[in-house]
Amino acid sequence: MDAATLAAVGTIIVGLAAAIGAAIGKQGENRATASGAVLGGYSALVDNLQEERDKAQAKLAETEVRLAAAYAELAAERADRAALQAQIAELTNESQRLRDRIAELGGQPT
């Protein structure tokens, strides 16, 4: 083999080695890019889930406040109703007492 042939073979071998190195490097770059995209997507998903959780917690807190207010209003209305029922019973008793007194005095209760 002469020097020209050796140089040509050497150039071919170096070219093939460079091509193989470039292909391997490109695969590694593609893996790194894909891995970065997956991690970025995961991070965005976690952020979205945390925001959604925070919104749900705020809405739950608001609902609990409204529910407590409704229970307080209901308790007040029940107390008012009980007071009115007691007043009705008192007035009914008073009315009956007065009817009985009218009858005792010889009158006709209406």
Side-chain angles (χ1 to χ4, degrees), residues 45-65:
L45 179 61
V46 168
D47 290 344
N48 288 342
L49 289 174
Q50 288 174 341
E51 287 177 17
E52 196 171 321
R53 181 202 60 209
D54 293 343
K55 287 178 186 176
Q57 285 176 336
K59 188 170 185 176
L60 176 62
E62 177 188 339
T63 301
E64 287 176 346
V65 167

Side-chain angles (χ1 to χ4, degrees), residues 91-104 109:
L91 291 173
T92 301
N93 290 339
E94 177 70 12
S95 175
Q96 187 60 45
R97 188 186 68 75
L98 291 173
R99 287 177 193 273
D100 292 344
R101 182 71 177 143
I102 290 171
E104 281 177 15

